[in-house]
Structures are given as C-alpha cells and as structure tokens.
Amino acid sequence: MEKFVINGGRRLEGSIKVDGSKNAALPIILGALMIPKGESVIRNVPPLRDIFTAIKVMEFVGAKVSYDPKICVMTVDASNITENTAPYELMRQMRASFLVLGPLLVRCGEARVSLPGGCSLGSRPVDYHIKAFGDLGAEISEEAGFVIAKASKLRGGMVYFDRPSHTGTENILYGAITAKEQTIITNAACDPEIIDVAKFLNASGARISGAGSPTIVVEPVSELKAVDYTISGDRLVAGTLMMGAAITGGKVEVSGLDPDWMSIVCLKLLEMGCDVSTTDSSITVTGPSDQNKLYPVNITTFPYPGFPTDLQACIMAVSCIASGTSYIRETVFVDRFVHTMELRRLGADVAVSGAEAVIQGVKELTGAAIMAPDIRAGAGLVLACLAAKGTSELLRIYHVDRGYYRLEEKFNQLGADIKRMQS
Ligand code: EPU
C-alpha cells in the first residue's frame, strides 16, 4: 500500500488544468452500454481507480473496451452484450456500478445487479432507483442481495424523487430513452454532471430536455447510435485545488471547467476572506497571507446548486485554521464526518454532534500520521497536511486515488512537497 509524506507550510502558487470529471465519466462510459451498434469514442476520461473498476463491469457484461490512460481516450463497442448480471465482486468496489442497471435492463430485458458497495458514507440505499424503474414499468424483485429488474420494453411515465439523487437521475435517464412513452422526471438532480450525461445521450440520438433543472423530459427514440464525446472538467478536483490556495495563503488558477458550477464554493471562499476572480473557463483563488484574515464560515451541504457534500471535508480543513468558530451541517450524507478524527490528530478542534460539526479555529496544525477514510475525506486531509507545520504521513491513499489522478503531482506542480511512498 502507498502513502503520502507531506511536508507542510508551503504556499501554493501557479496554474493548473483539471482532468475530466469522474462523476460524469462513470455514468457516460456505463451509459455507452446502451448503444447497440458501432464503436463510441469517449475523450477526457480520467485514469482513476473507479474508471478501471467500471471497465471491469463493462467487459464482464460483454462490451469491448479499450482505454489509453496517457491520452484519456476510451472506445466502447457494446454490440454484443452477453451477460445481464453484475456480480457482487465487482459491485462492492464502487457504488456507481449500480448505474449498470438501466443499460442492462434496456439491452437485455432483464438485469440482475448486486446491491452496491463503495465509500462508507453511512447508509446509502438505492430505493429511489428501484422505485423509479418500477414507475417506468419494470417488474422488480430482490433475491440474495441482487436487484432483479424485468421489462421487455419499459413504458415510461412520471418519476418523482423524494430528494434529488445524482446517480438515480442518471439511471432513470437510461431507462427512459427508448421507453414506449414520454418520461417526466420531477425533483431530478441538477448537477453539472447530469447535463454532461444528457449531452452525451443527446449526441447519440436521445431526446432529453431540461437536464440541469429539477424537471427533465425524455421523449422516446428507437435506438442510440455510436458517438464521439468529450467529458467536462472535474469541479470537485477544481474545488480541492482552490481550497489549497485558501489554506496555504497561496494563489492558484484552475482552468478547464465552467466557473458557474463553482458559484457557491467561490462565495464561501470570499466569505472566508479569499480573493476570487473568474474568466470564461478558469477561477483564480488567492488566500489571505495573514492567517488571522481567514474568517470562519457557516456551511450547509445541499444538492446542487447548494454547497457540495463532496467538498465538505476540504472546506472543513480550511476552517480548522480560521480565526473563529465555523459551523458545518451535512444534509446529504449525514454520517460523512469520518475525517474529523484524523483532523484532531493534526491538532484541529472539531466537535461533531449528529449531522453538525463545530470547528474552533486553531493557530496552527501540526504534522502527524493519519489515514484517508474515503475519497473526499482523504483530499480534505491532504489539504490539512499542506497547512500543518512539519511532516505528516497520510496512509490508505488508495481511497484518494479513486477520485483524484495523482493529486500529489498536481499540488507539487503548485509548490507543495508531497512524496508518494510505500507504507
Ligand atoms: N438516497 C436514498 N435512496 C436512493 C438514492 C439516494 O435515500 O435510492 C439518498 C442518499 O442516501 C443521500 C441522498 O439521497 O442521502 C443523495 O444521494 P445521491 O443518490 O445523490 O448520491 P449518489 O448518486 O450515490 C453521487 C456521487 C457522490 C456524491 C453524491 C452527492 C457519483 C458516482 N457519486 O452519489 O460522489 O457524493 O452524488 O452529490 O456521481 C464521490 O465522488 O466521492 C462521491 C461520493
């Protein structure tokens, strides 16, 4: 296993372009299983552990996949789907694999998908996906840890999510595309990745309107065709790098994404005393050089366009050295505070009660040995180590590698001192 050895206290400065978005790439490459003929080309696919897990799932069901991580280009030929089952061994590695349910059901008329695994973010049910496929006309049952969905052709219809579900919305989009009738998804997730998925599907012949809003309308088409599509930049990697500027009093320009996706994150960094400026495709964050000028913040995580739960650990790391008391309320995954124990080992003063964290800013963090509990918590801890005095060791970085391609190289390019070593 590998670890990061991080010498903290260096100011980050420079420009960096983000990779393609993991949370857009996963549904798009799995969505390519919907295309019954020809070879699709998907560009800007980031070389992450989760992408390689998705490739295993796709190959298991019979798709021909080639991927060149050097140029981030993947080709998918799903002409010959031979298997309608996604086994536990593959599903347990990544929750997003549940996105295979829609494509397999549409292609095979029956899908048997093991209930998923993934990050431990408390209870992460898939009941919305299951109910919504039922609303589209699928016959659903559960057997020995598998969800079994059957429908020779889905009907379409009205789907309502009790709360916006990111992958739930994507899964239902797949189901709706070739259904018999129109589908209207109400209270859909509005994340930029949903827009990316809809653009990909529309480029392959689907008729989806309203993606990015809470109401999505899908007019049925008979079949999708092969496509050449480029995935958008990763807003979560961007947010992590922006907070690197905030926590080290540095100046970082991130490019390769639409700054509008980061509005709330920019607003919160402004409230904390950072300077933020944008162009059409980049954001520059300058952190206050005097730590006393890093102000505390109140955050409530919320589905997009609210503050992303995926950047909660990162902003908590920044708030650990702010001059005053910050409050963070987690409303998306209420158990998502696993990083607080590790932050305390670095000297942070964080108290958690239920879904709320109170962070009393300290003068400085100090290096320690800690471990990454999941992808985004791991990224937050890297940030804390960048600010900490002395040397830190971050263990279990395989979690970080699931969502960030060589995060240490990105930070080192900006002036950090992070070494990847065997632990
Ligand atoms: N929920 C249910 N039932 C469901 C589905 C969701 O109760 O059937 C609840 C969840 O428990 C949660 C809320 O609804 O409380 C929202 O969950 P959502 O379905 O939106 O999450 P997801 O689709 O499983 C995606 C991202 C996560 C990100 C969340 C929230 C992908 C592959 N994953 O997960 O990303 O945290 O949306 O934005 O897109 C990550 O990248 O590290 C990551 C965990």
Side-chain angles (χ1 to χ4, degrees):
M1 274 205 275
E2 291 178 320
K3 65 181 177 186
F4 285 153
V5 177
I6 304 173
N7 285 314
R10 289 164 177 250
R11 182 174 179 271
L12 300 187
E13 180 148 8
S15 300
I16 195 153
K17 187 166 184 269
V18 293
D19 308 316
S21 157
K22 165 181 88 79
N23 288 349
L26 287 171
I28 286 173
I29 64 177
L30 290 167
L33 296 175
M34 295 274 300
I35 301 172
K37 281 187 223 125
E39 187 177 82
S40 292
V41 181
I42 305 166
R43 301 175 195 274
N44 209 22
V45 179
L48 301 170
R49 274 174 66 108
D50 276 8
I51 297 295
F52 291 103
T53 305
I55 293 174
K56 279 191 214 154
V57 174
M58 293 159 77
E59 289 179 335
F60 183 86
V61 300
K64 284 196 195 125
V65 182
S66 78
Y67 178 51
D68 185 341
K70 286 198 198 80
I71 52 169
C72 299
V73 176
M74 182 180 289
T75 60
V76 182
D77 181 346
S79 314
N80 198 15
I81 296 294
T82 51
E83 183 60 69
N84 68 358
T85 301
Y88 178 66
E89 179 45 33
L90 291 174
M91 301 298 293
R92 73 182 176 84
Q93 297 175 34
M94 180 180 72
R95 183 186 155 81
S97 321
F98 201 68
L99 283 166
V100 82
L101 180 68
L104 285 186
L105 176 58
V106 169
R107 291 295 307 279
C108 307
E110 176 172 341
R112 297 169 56 85
V113 177
S114 167
L115 287 162
C119 287
S120 16
L121 302 180
S123 152
R124 290 182 75 185
V126 286
D127 53 323
Y128 297 171
H129 301 235
I130 292 171
K131 178 177 179 303
F133 277 108
D135 292 342
L136 293 189
E139 187 192 309
I140 307 280
S141 56
E142 266 184 66
E143 195 185 290
F146 278 80
V147 175
I148 301 158
K150 292 183 189 168
S152 56
K153 192 162 177 73
L154 286 162
R155 185 184 55 230
M158 294 290 296
V159 173
Y160 170 75
F161 287 110
D162 285 331
R163 57 176 295 154
S165 166
H166 192 142
T167 50
T169 302
E170 292 158 351
N171 227 345
I172 290 313
L173 278 180
Y174 306 144
I177 287 168
T178 55
K180 289 181 199 152
E181 296 164 14
Q182 180 194 65
T183 297
I184 299 179
I185 309 174
T186 308
N187 207 19
C190 302
D191 304 72
E193 295 80 15
I194 309 279
I195 302 178
D196 223 359
V197 172
K199 277 190 187 163
F200 160 75
L201 293 169
N202 282 344
S204 7
R207 290 173 62 208
I208 300 167
S209 57
S213 82
T215 306
I216 302 182
V217 180
V218 185
E219 301 293 346
V221 296
S222 54
E223 189 171 282
L224 296 183
K225 57 182 190 322
V227 71
D228 188 324
Y229 188 79
T230 302
I231 286 164
S232 303
D234 195 313
R235 67 187 164 113
L236 303 172
V237 173
T240 305
L241 297 168
M242 287 158 64
M243 288 187 208
I247 204 167
T248 66
K251 181 175 183 183
V252 173
E253 181 197 43
V254 291
S255 61
L257 80 165
D258 183 341
D260 285 351
W261 303 339
M262 305 302 291
S263 300
I264 302 298
V265 175
C266 290
L267 204 79
K268 290 295 172 184
L269 288 175
L270 280 166
E271 279 178 25
M272 294 189 88
C274 297
D275 188 56
V276 181
S277 61
T278 57
T279 68
D280 283 353
S281 61
S282 72
I283 305 170
T284 303
V285 176
T286 310
S289 49
D290 176 358
Q291 193 206 308
N292 286 326
K293 297 262 170 58
L294 196 54
Y295 303 123
V297 70
N298 283 354
I299 301 280
T300 298
T301 65
F302 210 71
Y304 188 88
F307 191 91
T309 174
D310 291 321
L311 290 174
Q312 179 255 106
C314 290
I315 201 135
M316 183 184 285
V318 184
S319 72
C320 285
I321 55 162
S323 57
T325 310
S326 298
Y327 298 89
I328 298 185
R329 195 151 65 96
E330 177 57 68
T331 74
V332 181
F333 294 114
V334 290
D335 292 341
R336 201 174 200 179
F337 281 133
V338 275
H339 41 285
T340 54
M341 290 263 289
E342 306 302 307
L343 285 170
R344 281 192 210 111
R345 290 174 63 82
L346 298 171
D349 181 352
V350 187
V352 175
S353 172
E356 289 184 6
V358 180
I359 305 105
Q360 185 63 54
V362 295
K363 218 170 157 17
E364 66 182 15
L365 299 172
T366 39
I370 53 175
M371 64 175 192
D374 68 44
I375 305 176
R376 309 297 170 189
L381 293 170
V382 171
L383 287 172
C385 295
L386 287 175
K389 202 173 147 203
T391 304
S392 299
E393 291 197 352
L394 180 65
L395 308 177
R396 298 200 186 170
I397 57 170
Y398 58 86
H399 285 298
V400 180
D401 292 340
R402 283 187 53 201
Y404 295 84
Y405 180 62
R406 300 202 179 144
L407 185 58
E408 77 282 17
E409 287 180 8
K410 291 187 171 57
F411 278 129
N412 287 346
Q413 191 182 321
L414 299 170
D417 178 1
I418 309 180
K419 290 183 191 68
R420 181 183 284 265
M421 303 176 82
Q422 287 301 320
S423 55

